[in-house]
Amino acid sequence: MELTHDEIKAIERYLDSKNLTHVDLRVEVVDHISESIGEAMQSQKVDFDTAFQNEISKWHTDLGEYSSYWLGLLWVGPRIVINKCVKRVKVIYLKTVLFAFAITGLFFLATDVIAIEALRALEVFVGSLYLLLFAVLLFFKYRIKGTGFQTSFSFLFNINAIAFSFMFVLYNPFWTVFMSLLQDSALNLVSVWMHAFTLAFSFFFLEFYNSHMATNKQVLI
Amino acid sequence: MANSKLYKGSLSTIILKLLDEEGKMYGYEITQKVKAITKGDLKITEGALYPALHKLEAEGLLDVEVAKVDNRLRKYYKLTEQGEKETVNRLAELEEFIRSMQQLVKPKWSIQ
């Protein structure tokens, strides 16, 4: 049974109360709840309110407030959103951590053959790249904000952009001594790992941005 | 009712198989189709279905298409090229698993 405009609005209001504002998930939850209510109204001959209350009870856990260590406990949202984000960041962290160890290993093996001048030049490159990436983050943030809605991808973008903006600006090897690739004229492997991790993770901001924009195109039909 | 825990590990394979047969499906449709095929034995909950769909999408096995249906948007899932290949692999793995399980629970006795 097809629901009326007002009945769909009632579902939307319920999802607003649960802070499910992430369009990529909200679209399918609205559709799922609508279909299920329509089916119950037809097969069980119940009214909208009764079917709606029955349906709400099924979504109680998935739409309940939730947070995860993986994203930071301060970021609270519906469980369905947080779980989707956690699954994504787990894979991203695994890839970036492994990449960072691989790069650090290569630097460790090449310690004796890398000239100090080359490390200084690399440091200037990394410092400049950080500033460029910071500018790109601000541009992406501006474009995402311009779409006027939130997705699980923009949520991931925003929570990570805050942390990485600090990395790009405050931990820039240009002016932060302990992030320098050189320490007492020797290679600083901890710094190499940190820079490799930060740069590898930066690629995923592009993925979050592209996925958000793809959702924007999908829902503008 | 069958023990849903037994199906849990095969949920993504079930979804891939259904999409392979139907072309494209939306979330609620998948739950109803599974319920109908298993005559109500297996009811996929919302809490299990959507994480599984999102995982398959993140792995690049599913593609998403949004269409306007009635007075709301509907998200359809369909297999990508990689998803089609993965479906064949996962079904083969599942069949192998079923054969092994059959041998374990109903061994064929023979007198040599």
Side-chain angles (χ1 to χ4, degrees):
Chain A
M1 182 185 280
E2 191 179 328
L3 300 190
T4 65
H5 184 72
D6 286 344
E7 287 167 342
I8 299 282
K9 280 280 161 209
I11 297 169
E12 299 262 8
R13 278 197 300 277
Y14 165 69
L15 295 181
D16 284 339
S17 75
K18 294 288 178 183
N19 292 321
L20 186 65
T21 51
H22 313 76
V23 172
D24 53 325
L25 293 164
R26 186 180 168 109
V27 162
E28 58 191 348
V29 174
V30 169
D31 186 45
H32 190 112
I33 292 178
S34 304
E35 279 284 294
S36 189
I37 289 175
E39 167 90 16
M41 286 167 76
Q42 197 164 29
S43 62
Q44 297 164 27
K45 306 285 177 219
V46 290
D47 62 10
F48 173 79
D49 290 333
T50 309
F52 188 26
Q53 288 309 314
N54 290 340
E55 189 60 23
I56 282 175
S57 64
K58 292 183 202 165
W59 288 90
H60 180 72
T61 309
D62 292 315
L63 297 179
E65 277 195 348
Y66 190 64
S67 64
S68 166
Y69 285 108
W70 286 95
L71 304 178
L73 293 177
L74 284 176
W75 301 105
V76 179
R79 183 185 284 262
I80 192 171
V81 177
I82 301 294
N83 278 346
K84 184 183 179 186
C85 293
V86 167
K87 277 193 179 151
R88 190 68 203 118
V89 293
K90 276 183 182 174
V91 175
I92 292 173
Y93 281 141
L94 180 69
K95 284 180 181 172
T96 47
V97 165
L98 288 177
F99 176 82
F101 275 117
I103 294 293
T104 310
L106 286 176
F107 269 81
F108 176 71
L109 293 172
T111 306
D112 296 332
V113 291
I114 304 176
I116 287 183
E117 289 71 29
L119 285 174
R120 289 208 174 102
L122 184 62
E123 199 168 276
V124 172
F125 174 73
V126 170
S128 309
L129 194 56
Y130 275 10
L131 295 179
L132 177 70
L133 286 168
F134 179 63
V136 171
L137 272 193
L138 288 178
F139 173 70
F140 281 176
K141 171 76 186 159
Y142 170 76
R143 291 289 311 272
I144 287 172
K145 204 173 177 194
T147 60
F149 64 80
Q150 200 183 9
T151 59
S152 61
F153 311 109
S154 67
F155 178 68
L156 274 174
F157 181 94
N158 289 334
I159 63 175
N160 286 297
I162 294 170
F164 278 80
S165 294
F166 276 107
M167 284 294 294
F168 294 147
V169 179
L170 294 181
Y171 291 164
N172 194 305
F174 274 150
W175 43 73
T176 307
V177 179
F178 69 88
M179 288 304 282
S180 171
L181 291 172
L182 284 162
Q183 202 170 42
D184 302 326
S185 297
L187 184 65
N188 179 0
L189 286 173
V190 175
S191 167
V192 170
W193 190 92
M194 292 286 283
H195 291 307
F197 175 82
T198 306
L199 292 173
F201 196 98
S202 303
F203 281 101
F204 292 98
F205 283 109
L206 183 64
E207 182 197 298
F208 301 151
Y209 172 77
N210 284 338
S211 299
H212 179 83
M213 289 306 184
T215 309
N216 185 35
K217 274 188 194 163
Q218 286 167 352
V219 297
L220 286 177
I221 52 171
Chain B
M1 188 208 250
N3 188 345
S4 293
K5 281 180 188 170
L6 295 174
Y7 290 99
K8 206 179 168 187
S10 309
L11 181 57
S12 57
T13 311
I14 294 169
I15 292 170
L16 291 172
K17 169 74 176 159
L18 283 176
L19 291 173
D20 190 41
E21 284 173 358
E22 302 288 325
K24 63 175 187 179
M25 295 177 92
Y26 55 96
Y28 185 76
E29 188 182 14
I30 294 173
T31 61
Q32 295 309 105
K33 186 80 183 174
V34 169
K35 201 170 143 186
I37 292 172
T38 61
K39 296 185 175 67
D41 261 1
L42 176 59
K43 285 176 188 163
I44 302 180
T45 61
E46 298 77 12
L49 174 70
Y50 289 104
L53 284 170
H54 300 151
K55 189 167 181 275
L56 292 168
E57 188 191 349
E59 287 170 355
L61 304 179
L62 300 186
D63 217 354
V64 167
E65 198 179 286
V66 179
K68 192 152 193 178
V69 177
D70 300 333
N71 42 10
R72 59 182 183 270
L73 295 175
R74 176 164 289 163
K75 208 166 157 183
Y76 285 98
Y77 291 92
K78 58 182 181 181
L79 293 178
T80 59
E81 209 172 300
Q82 193 192 339
E84 285 170 11
K85 288 176 193 161
E86 187 63 20
T87 305
V88 176
N89 295 338
R90 291 202 191 181
L91 282 173
E93 279 172 15
L94 186 60
E95 278 166 18
E96 182 59 38
F97 171 75
I98 293 167
R99 266 198 296 277
S100 304
M101 285 304 288
Q102 277 174 337
Q103 281 171 352
L104 279 171
V105 296
K106 282 185 182 174
K108 285 178 187 167
W109 301 103
S110 64
I111 300 165
Q112 289 184 345

